[in-house]
Amino acid sequence: MVQSGGCSANDFREVFKKNIEKRVRSLPEIDGLSKETVLSSWIAKYDAIYRGEDDVCRPPGRGALSAVSELILSKEQLYEMFQQILGVKKLEHQLLYNACQLDNADEQAAQIRRELDGRLQLAEKMAKERNFPKFIAKEMESMYIEELRSSVNLLMANLESLPVSKGGPEFKLQKLKRSQNSAFLDIGDENEIQLSKSDVVLSFTLEIVIMEVQGLKSVAPNRIVYCTMEVEGGEKLQTDQAEASRPQWGTQGDFTTTHPRPVVKVKLFTESTGVLALEDKELGRVILYPTSNSSKSADLHRMIVPKNSQDSDLKIKLAVRMDKPPHMKHSGYLYALGQKVWKRWKKRYFVLVQVSQYTFAMCSYREKKSEPQELMQLEGYTVDYTDPHPGLQGGQMFFNAVKEGDTVIFASDDEQDRILWVQAMYRATGQSYKPIPAIQTQKLNPKGGTLHADAQLSGKDADRFQKHGMDEFISANPCKLDHAFLFRILQRQTLDHRLNDSYSCLGWFSPGQVFVLDEYCARYGVRGCHRHLCYLTELMEHSENGAVIDPTLLHYSFAFCASHVHGNRPDGIGTVSVEEKERFEEIKERLSSLLENQISHFRYCFPFGRPEGALKATLSLLERVLMKDIATPIPAEEVKKVVRKCLEKAALINYTRLTEYARTEGPAEKDTETMNQATPARKLEEVLHLAELCIEVLQQNEEHHAEGREAFAWWPDLLAEHAEKFWALFTVDMDTALEAQPQDSWDSFPLFQLLNNFLRNDTLLCNGKFHKHLQEIFVPSVVRYVDLMESSIAQSIHRGFEQETWQPVNNGSATSEDLFWKLDALQMFVFDLHWPEQEFAHHLEQRLKLMASDMIEACVKRTRTAFEIKLQKASKTTDLRIPASVCTMFNVLVDAKKQSTKLCALDGGQEFGSQWQQYHSKIDDLIDNTVKEIISLLVSKFVSVLEGVLSKLSRYDEGTFFSSILSFTVKAAAKYVDVPKPGMDLADTYIMFVRQNQDILREKVNEEMYIEKLFDQWYSSSMKVICVWLADRLDLQLHIYQLKTLIKIVKKSYRDFRLQGVLEGTLHGKAYETLHRRLTVEEAAASVSDGGGLQGITMKDSDEEEG
């Protein structure tokens, strides 16, 4: 990603952020630390590392410089950039800059005019000699000439439309505009409208600065003096007042005039002291005739003084600065003689005026005149140096301007002035011939100017240029160069420079670079198709070498070339050369191969989906490239066929690179041997790791490369085919590793779960070719695993119950807990497989539920048997306390009831519904019946204890021998000692038995509902037993001790069972009501016969009695 240059700093940041966010979101929650805080910390750390805050010594980056390159650059910045691009040294640039006068806007405009004229001449020569490039059709030859003329005339029109007033030092060449609607121009035609004198308008700015006056003697030192200044024909200005002893001012006056030769008057006055004086007295004056070439510095000028003045040596120091307007190209005094104008040889003041970009005039002016006296339009003239004319008096250095039917001779007073005039007129005429003076040595301009290199090189300068090899470039004629070849070099080196910039450009030029390339093509006539063909070639070379190029950029250039070659260009240019067509077909084939290769390497050409939208644009471009011509769309199936082939290659490429990364296969023979000799566990571990990587790759494909569906709706289908091909390659390694596993090894199931969980959630891959193959491999393993687990669980039940101690473990015993855990673990294991094929999934589910039912049934029956054996061994007296093991057995059945709901309930829809419901209800009925049976057994045990108590009370029945002895003994003994109440110990013992067993059951049995059922039956059965016992003694009066014991047993039982939650309906059953009535009657009878016998024990208010 870094070397390709296709990703910006923001791209890297976004990829990092997305991956960190995925990792953090998958972590469990941390108390007191939000995931947003963790994410923010990671991003802040990334930003700190990227900016290099931790590295104090880190040098400043080029980020700021590259950012500047994206802006509109100045001319100096463009010079600097292209010096780097073309490898031009600073000195070489300076030599070229000076020699070509790149700082001279007039020279540059004149050079453009000469180049355009040269291009027109070449076009005419080509048409005349019929030396055309080879076109695909013969009639294109004449069209080609018209295209050349049109492009040149268009540029001429654009140049002519530039306003002249924007010239001067601030003049900047505007971009040569392209417009196909402009009319053809033929600049310099004889029938062109001639200029009139009123068309030539000049405006000058004059600055007059009066410094001081010297030699003033005629005025007293304390007198006031001042100066006035005026440009003749304009307003008058005055300086400040000063004393005659110090006549100094430094005052500036600004004037404007339209006279090339104005007259400036400056006068010195003193204030008049006379009462009748109307005007101040003039002390002196000076009259100046400045021009734009006059000295700008302050000089002393002798003043004209009135007659009889004492100030014979009166001088004034002043400066007159006359700026020349931008369209005034040169001025000065020349001798001239012409046939149509300036018919007398005499000295005149000439001004070379630029009226428009293509219109120049040579004008002569008189003093104080704004319009030229005479003018000559320079179009069509050729200027050159000439020898002196012996018959003409005046002037030393001669040159002339020649046109068909007219010759104008000019002469200057020195050579330097002649060279400057010839160069100025050479630029104005636009002639291709370059005047060269006969004299090759040159002195400095005595007027302070310097000689331009184009005008004449000194011997020293010529040696410098020749020494550095610049003379060839300086003297080159642009019209004779192969600009198509030169532009190709320029564009290639510019692109190389751009791609090596730190700015991620993807092949796009910067605005400044585009500006220069556009200017080159427009100025030198580089054909657009050639430009884009070269651009495509360079872009493809860089792309083939690993650089990331924006496919949209390739698309633009390719579309331009395609529309050109197929004759459908929007700008109307219709000529197509054979070379362009052949190059286009070659590039088209090469581009097609490049795009197919990029799609085959889509993971590596567009990593993490970057650059954004690049894959989509590549697919769209491929469709465009596959089109036969620009108008006929290609059938979708053909594009799909090509893309499918690319993605098949991509599967092999991706898997090969992935296996190399995972080190499961390698080019070295040693690695292969190591792989073959690896243990089965090692092979499985490596395949599992490889599967994880494969899943990650396909997830990344879906996450980062799904944008292809925006280009083609069928992209997801092809991506699914690609995935199947990818998995087919993985199948070979997977099958090899699985074949090496032992028969009864279950370590491979995590591999199935990993792959199946990914595949079943992918709508396109679910139950696909690889998914079905995966199921076929693991079906035997799953079936065998379930068979072995069923056998194992059955054996563990048998062994477990044989050795069971019935110690409580969680919700049951050790054996039951182990059983239910194994059944649940087996079902969860199969559930976690998420078997995708419905029929086999239902079969597995049904089999496991049936297995659970059978196992639970065996568990219930074995527990029932153990419960009965245990209970039979228990005591039948009031010493009976329910053992913990009995409660554990009870809990096993309770837990079995709960577990059966989860382990035996089939969630398989309607297919197995009725049959399974019948089977499942059988399990429920078995458990319910077993619970009822053990409750009945337990109640029977409790009732047998109560029967034992009642049998002891039977000994007190009326009329028995034992009863008489007991009664007599107790009464006799009561007279002497405190005898315990007979029967009370028995009642208390029983009540304690009931209460403690209630507490044991309540504490150790887990199911409330079964406890309540047990207590209901226990209470009801106890009342019935007592009721039957009393019914057998209807004809007998109860012994006092029997009555007291029964009353206490009944009252306490009623109260204890009510506290345990037995309902009122059960408490007040028929047996209890019968008991209550009988005991109440017996109590009344006893109180009549033996008033103190009951000793406070009564059926009334039994709730208030303490237990």
Side-chain angles (χ1 to χ4, degrees):
M1 288 180 71
V2 177
Q3 291 177 350
S4 68
C7 295
S8 65
N10 185 62
D11 288 328
F12 283 105
R13 189 178 189 275
E14 289 300 314
V15 169
F16 176 82
K17 182 179 179 182
K18 191 172 289 186
N19 281 276
I20 282 295
E21 191 168 13
K22 191 185 298 182
R23 291 278 185 96
V24 172
R25 298 291 183 203
S26 64
L27 295 175
E29 292 290 341
I30 305 173
D31 292 338
L33 183 63
S34 69
K35 292 185 177 180
E36 297 301 326
T37 305
V38 177
L39 283 174
S40 300
S41 300
W42 272 107
I43 296 301
K45 185 62 177 175
Y46 174 90
D47 291 338
I49 293 172
Y50 175 74
R51 289 193 302 267
E53 291 179 357
D54 297 338
D55 189 357
V56 180
C57 301
R58 182 173 179 261
R62 295 178 55 200
L65 298 176
S66 63
V68 171
S69 71
E70 299 308 303
L71 306 176
I72 302 299
L73 304 181
S74 66
K75 190 184 296 183
E76 288 70 24
Q77 289 171 317
L78 286 174
Y79 281 141
E80 185 178 353
M81 177 190 290
F82 278 88
Q83 284 177 54
Q84 297 176 9
I85 290 173
L86 298 173
V88 177
K89 299 176 183 176
K90 190 73 175 178
L91 175 61
E92 294 172 342
H93 166 70
Q94 291 171 345
L95 293 174
L96 289 170
Y97 187 93
N98 294 331
C100 298
Q101 302 182 64
L102 296 181
D103 57 343
N104 189 330
D106 297 331
E107 173 60 29
Q108 295 313 301
Q111 180 64 26
I112 291 175
R113 290 192 291 271
R114 289 193 290 271
E115 289 173 2
L116 296 181
D117 183 62
R119 284 176 59 186
L120 275 180
Q121 292 178 14
L122 285 176
E124 298 302 329
K125 181 181 178 182
M126 183 183 293
K128 186 176 180 180
E129 298 177 357
R130 303 199 61 78
N131 184 21
F132 301 104
K134 194 172 182 181
F135 294 102
I136 59 175
K138 189 70 175 174
E139 59 270 15
M140 288 186 178
E141 293 178 352
S142 59
M143 291 172 59
Y144 180 65
I145 298 299
E146 288 303 315
E147 287 174 6
L148 293 179
R149 290 172 178 165
S150 171
S151 61
V152 173
N153 288 326
L154 172 62
L155 297 181
M156 287 181 172
N158 290 339
L159 183 60
E160 179 68 14
S161 66
L162 294 178
V164 178
S165 59
K166 291 187 179 179
E170 294 79 23
F171 179 78
K172 294 179 181 176
L173 285 177
Q174 296 186 8
K175 191 171 182 179
L176 300 176
K177 301 174 184 176
R178 297 175 178 269
S179 172
Q180 298 302 324
N181 299 324
S182 302
F184 293 165
L185 298 179
D186 190 3
I187 305 300
D189 193 337
E190 290 296 332
N191 298 324
E192 187 177 324
I193 299 174
Q194 296 296 316
L195 289 175
S196 65
K197 294 180 180 181
S198 60
D199 291 333
V200 182
V201 180
L202 296 173
S203 178
F204 300 90
T205 300
L206 278 86
E207 298 175 359
I208 302 174
V209 183
I210 298 177
M211 310 298 291
E212 61 179 339
V213 171
Q214 299 177 5
L216 182 58
K217 301 175 182 178
S218 60
V219 182
N222 60 351
R223 292 282 297 276
I224 299 299
V225 293
Y226 62 91
C227 293
T228 64
M229 55 188 122
E230 66 175 312
V231 175
E232 196 165 311
E235 59 181 339
K236 184 184 292 186
L237 300 177
Q238 176 183 321
T239 65
D240 296 332
Q241 295 178 345
E243 293 182 352
S245 60
R246 292 188 62 194
Q248 298 176 355
W249 293 275
T251 302
Q252 175 177 319
D254 297 330
F255 303 88
T256 57
T257 181
T258 58
H259 302 164
R261 298 178 63 194
V263 177
V264 177
K265 294 180 180 180
V266 180
K267 298 177 182 179
L268 177 64
F269 290 94
T270 181
E271 290 184 348
S272 299
T273 57
V275 178
L276 299 177
L278 298 176
E279 294 182 354
D280 292 337
K281 181 181 177 180
E282 182 179 332
L283 299 177
R285 66 173 61 185
V286 65
I287 300 176
L288 303 173
Y289 303 93
T291 65
S292 56
N293 295 330
S294 300
S295 173
K296 304 294 191 294
S297 60
D299 297 320
L300 284 171
H301 299 271
R302 183 178 292 277
M303 300 188 79
I304 302 170
V305 298
K307 291 181 180 180
N308 303 323
S309 173
Q310 299 176 10
D311 303 322
S312 58
D313 195 22
L314 187 63
K315 296 180 180 179
I316 185 169
K317 187 176 184 179
L318 56 83
V320 180
R321 302 185 184 96
M322 184 175 177
D323 294 335
K324 69 175 185 178
H327 55 301
M328 176 177 165
K329 299 306 175 185
H330 201 57
S331 63
Y333 288 95
L334 291 172
Y335 289 88
L337 175 65
Q339 299 174 9
K340 297 180 181 178
V341 290
W342 307 306
K343 297 180 181 179
R344 286 179 56 214
W345 178 260
K346 71 171 186 178
K347 195 172 186 179
R348 300 174 177 84
Y349 184 77
F350 283 91
V351 177
L352 178 58
V353 181
Q354 182 178 9
V355 180
S356 69
Q357 289 291 342
Y358 267 89
T359 307
F360 294 81
M362 194 74 168
C363 306
S364 61
Y365 285 87
R366 289 182 176 177
E367 290 180 2
K368 299 187 288 185
K369 297 293 183 182
S370 60
E371 287 189 357
Q373 181 189 14
E374 293 181 89
L375 64 82
M376 178 183 77
Q377 199 166 335
L378 288 182
E379 275 81 358
Y381 282 89
T382 301
V383 66
D384 198 6
Y385 298 94
T386 62
D387 295 330
H389 290 258
L392 299 177
Q393 298 297 321
Q396 299 295 322
M397 302 297 174
F398 287 78
F399 60 97
N400 64 6
V402 181
K403 184 180 180 181
E404 292 180 5
D406 190 17
T407 301
V408 182
I409 302 171
F410 299 95
S412 65
D413 291 332
D414 59 65
E415 176 65 15
Q416 176 63 36
D417 201 22
R418 176 174 74 156
I419 290 174
L420 294 175
W421 269 109
V422 169
Q423 286 303 316
M425 294 177 69
Y426 166 61
R427 297 188 196 104
T429 59
Q431 65 195 55
S432 58
Y433 168 72
K434 185 175 183 179
I436 301 175
I439 303 172
Q440 296 297 323
T441 58
Q442 182 62 45
K443 298 178 182 179
L444 286 175
N445 182 4
K447 294 183 179 181
T450 55
L451 173 63
H452 286 292
D454 266 5
Q456 175 60 44
L457 297 177
S458 68
K460 183 178 178 182
D461 288 338
D463 289 343
R464 284 183 68 197
F465 293 136
Q466 191 168 7
K467 178 181 176 183
H468 292 283
M470 293 291 105
D471 51 347
E472 179 186 354
F473 301 108
I474 294 167
S475 61
N477 183 356
C479 296
K480 295 182 180 179
L481 299 175
D482 185 358
H483 287 290
F485 172 75
L486 293 177
F487 177 80
R488 183 170 191 169
I489 296 174
L490 173 64
Q491 184 170 247
R492 180 175 67 244
Q493 295 188 0
T494 304
L495 183 60
D496 291 344
H497 178 271
R498 178 65 168 160
L499 289 173
N500 288 325
D501 192 359
S502 61
Y503 190 87
S504 179
C505 66
L506 305 179
W508 293 90
F509 288 123
S510 70
Q513 292 166 345
V514 171
F515 173 81
V516 172
L517 295 175
D518 284 349
E519 288 296 288
Y520 193 101
C521 291
R523 182 164 173 172
Y524 298 116
V526 178
R527 285 168 69 87
C529 186
H530 172 76
R531 174 182 181 177
H532 285 282
L533 286 172
C534 294
Y535 197 21
L536 278 171
T537 302
E538 300 300 331
L539 290 173
M540 287 191 294
E541 282 184 10
H542 283 287
S543 184
E544 289 164 355
N545 291 328
V548 175
I549 303 299
D550 191 347
T552 305
L553 180 57
L554 292 168
H555 202 149
Y556 286 158
S557 291
F558 180 81
F560 181 92
C561 296
S563 61
H564 174 85
V565 170
H566 295 122
N568 195 25
R569 269 182 64 172
D571 55 8
I573 295 179
T575 58
V576 183
S577 69
V578 173
E579 181 192 6
E580 288 172 344
K581 187 174 179 66
E582 290 174 352
R583 285 177 62 196
F584 174 74
E585 292 300 329
E586 178 186 339
I587 285 175
K588 182 178 179 180
E589 184 176 346
R590 184 177 171 188
L591 182 58
S592 177
S593 300
L594 173 66
L595 296 175
E596 290 177 18
N597 182 65
Q598 287 184 341
I599 296 171
S600 298
H601 293 78
F602 69 90
R603 273 184 56 79
Y604 309 99
C605 291
F606 315 109
F608 299 102
R610 306 286 170 161
E612 200 166 340
L615 177 58
K616 171 189 171 185
T618 301
L619 292 169
S620 300
L621 177 56
L622 178 63
E623 182 184 33
R624 181 68 177 266
V625 171
L626 292 174
M627 290 170 62
K628 304 300 181 186
D629 56 60
I630 198 167
T632 309
I634 185 171
E637 279 304 317
E638 289 190 29
V639 184
K640 192 173 181 180
K641 182 179 178 182
V642 173
V643 176
R644 178 183 285 114
K645 185 178 178 183
C646 294
L647 290 179
E648 287 177 0
K649 291 181 183 177
L652 179 59
I653 293 167
N654 293 347
Y655 188 74
T656 303
R657 292 200 182 186
L658 194 66
T659 50
E660 289 173 358
Y661 172 75
R663 297 182 181 179
T664 54
E665 63 179 30
E669 185 176 344
K670 183 178 178 181
D671 294 342
T672 306
E673 291 177 1
T674 304
M675 179 66 184
N676 292 334
Q677 295 173 3
T679 62
R682 176 65 180 163
K683 288 183 179 180
L684 184 62
E685 180 184 345
E686 290 178 347
V687 167
L688 189 61
H689 177 58
L690 183 59
E692 292 173 349
L693 294 176
C694 290
I695 290 172
E696 188 176 355
V697 164
L698 294 179
Q699 286 174 338
Q700 288 177 358
N701 290 350
E702 182 62 30
E703 180 180 357
H704 302 304
H705 303 105
E707 64 186 40
R709 66 165 62 93
E710 298 175 22
F712 300 111
W714 39 260
W715 173 257
D717 297 330
L718 289 191
L719 211 55
E721 292 180 19
H722 159 80
E724 286 290 358
K725 184 75 176 177
F726 186 77
W727 284 122
L729 297 169
F730 172 76
T731 300
V732 178
D733 290 330
M734 182 184 73
D735 291 353
T736 303
L738 292 178
E739 287 171 4
Q741 301 304 307
Q743 183 179 6
D744 292 337
S745 172
W746 318 118
D747 296 335
S748 59
F749 282 126
L751 175 64
F752 174 84
Q753 288 177 309
L754 176 70
L755 294 171
N756 182 58
N757 286 340
F758 170 74
L759 295 169
R760 69 188 180 87
N761 291 318
D762 191 313
T763 54
L764 296 174
L765 296 179
C766 184
N767 285 320
K769 187 175 180 181
F770 174 71
H771 202 186
K772 289 181 178 177
H773 174 74
L774 185 69
Q775 297 172 48
E776 290 171 2
I777 289 177
F778 277 90
V779 161
S781 298
V782 172
V783 171
R784 179 163 178 76
Y785 180 75
V786 172
D787 289 343
L788 291 177
M789 285 300 294
E790 183 175 16
S791 173
S792 172
I793 294 171
Q795 291 176 15
S796 68
I797 291 177
H798 180 70
R799 290 196 302 269
F801 280 111
E802 284 183 349
Q803 302 169 5
E804 183 59 74
T805 61
W806 297 105
Q807 292 298 316
V809 178
N810 294 334
N811 295 326
S813 67
T815 305
S816 68
E817 286 294 308
D818 182 61
L819 167 66
F820 296 142
W821 180 85
K822 287 180 178 178
L823 291 175
D824 184 58
L826 180 59
Q827 291 193 9
M828 286 306 299
F829 165 75
V830 174
F831 174 78
D832 288 340
L833 291 178
H834 295 289
W835 200 269
E837 201 271 312
Q838 291 298 319
E839 186 175 350
F840 186 70
H842 283 311
H843 165 74
L844 281 179
E845 185 180 13
Q846 185 184 27
R847 179 174 177 187
L848 292 179
K849 299 299 182 182
L850 290 172
M851 180 200 306
S853 298
D854 292 341
M855 299 297 178
I856 291 174
E857 181 180 354
C859 173
V860 169
K861 288 180 178 179
R862 296 290 291 266
T863 304
R864 163 75 171 77
T865 304
F867 183 90
E868 192 170 356
I869 294 171
K870 192 73 174 177
L871 206 58
Q872 285 176 356
K873 295 179 180 178
S875 170
K876 294 184 180 181
T877 66
T878 52
D879 295 332
L880 171 65
R881 299 293 183 268
I882 298 297
S885 57
V886 170
C887 294
T888 300
M889 296 174 193
F890 204 116
N891 287 334
V892 167
L893 297 177
V894 170
D895 198 25
K897 175 71 173 178
K898 293 179 182 177
Q899 294 291 340
S900 69
T901 306
K902 179 174 72 170
L903 297 175
C904 304
L906 184 67
D907 187 20
Q910 302 300 320
E911 189 174 351
F912 306 104
S914 57
Q915 176 188 355
W916 178 251
Q917 286 175 4
Q918 182 178 357
Y919 194 90
H920 186 226
S921 61
K922 179 181 175 183
I923 304 302
D924 285 344
D925 291 344
L926 173 67
I927 297 173
D928 289 341
N929 292 334
T930 305
V931 171
K932 289 178 182 178
E933 288 175 6
I934 65 172
I935 288 175
S936 298
L937 290 173
L938 206 52
V939 169
S940 299
K941 193 70 173 178
F942 293 148
V943 168
S944 66
V945 173
L946 178 58
E947 289 174 345
V949 172
L950 293 177
S951 66
K952 290 180 180 179
L953 287 179
S954 299
R955 291 180 293 177
Y956 290 91
D957 286 346
E958 184 180 6
T960 62
F961 175 76
F962 192 60
S963 169
S964 302
I965 294 174
L966 285 175
S967 298
F968 173 78
T969 305
V970 170
K971 286 180 180 180
K975 295 178 181 180
Y976 305 102
V977 294
D978 187 11
V979 180
K981 303 173 183 177
M984 290 304 100
D985 289 340
L986 191 61
D988 291 340
T989 304
Y990 177 76
I991 294 301
M992 186 61 65
F993 153 76
V994 171
R995 288 180 178 177
Q996 289 185 358
N997 281 295
Q998 284 178 340
D999 292 342
I1000 290 171
L1001 291 170
R1002 177 69 68 181
E1003 178 185 353
K1004 295 187 177 182
V1005 176
N1006 297 330
E1007 181 55 53
E1008 182 73 22
M1009 181 183 68
Y1010 292 148
I1011 294 293
E1012 291 176 358
K1013 285 184 178 180
L1014 172 62
F1015 287 167
D1016 282 356
Q1017 292 187 28
W1018 186 2
Y1019 175 77
S1020 300
S1021 299
S1022 298
M1023 294 300 108
K1024 287 179 182 177
V1025 168
I1026 297 174
C1027 191
V1028 169
W1029 189 82
L1030 287 174
D1032 292 340
R1033 291 161 178 76
L1034 278 175
D1035 299 332
L1036 300 176
Q1037 182 180 356
L1038 293 180
H1039 191 275
I1040 188 67
Y1041 303 111
Q1042 289 178 326
L1043 180 60
K1044 288 165 65 178
T1045 301
L1046 288 176
I1047 289 175
K1048 192 164 188 177
I1049 288 174
V1050 171
K1051 285 173 63 181
K1052 295 300 182 184
S1053 295
Y1054 175 89
R1055 184 172 181 231
D1056 289 344
F1057 281 101
R1058 186 178 67 175
L1059 289 174
Q1060 292 294 342
V1062 177
L1063 299 176
E1064 289 292 328
T1066 306
L1067 289 172
H1068 293 278
K1070 186 177 180 181
Y1072 175 77
E1073 294 297 334
T1074 305
L1075 273 176
H1076 192 273
R1077 288 194 298 271
R1078 173 69 183 273
L1079 292 176
T1080 303
V1081 172
E1082 290 289 345
E1083 178 188 344
S1087 61
V1088 171
S1089 60
D1090 188 0
L1094 291 175
Q1095 298 177 346
I1097 297 175
T1098 175
M1099 288 296 291
K1100 296 178 181 179
D1101 302 323
S1102 60
D1103 290 344
E1104 299 175 3
E1105 189 177 328
E1106 293 184 5

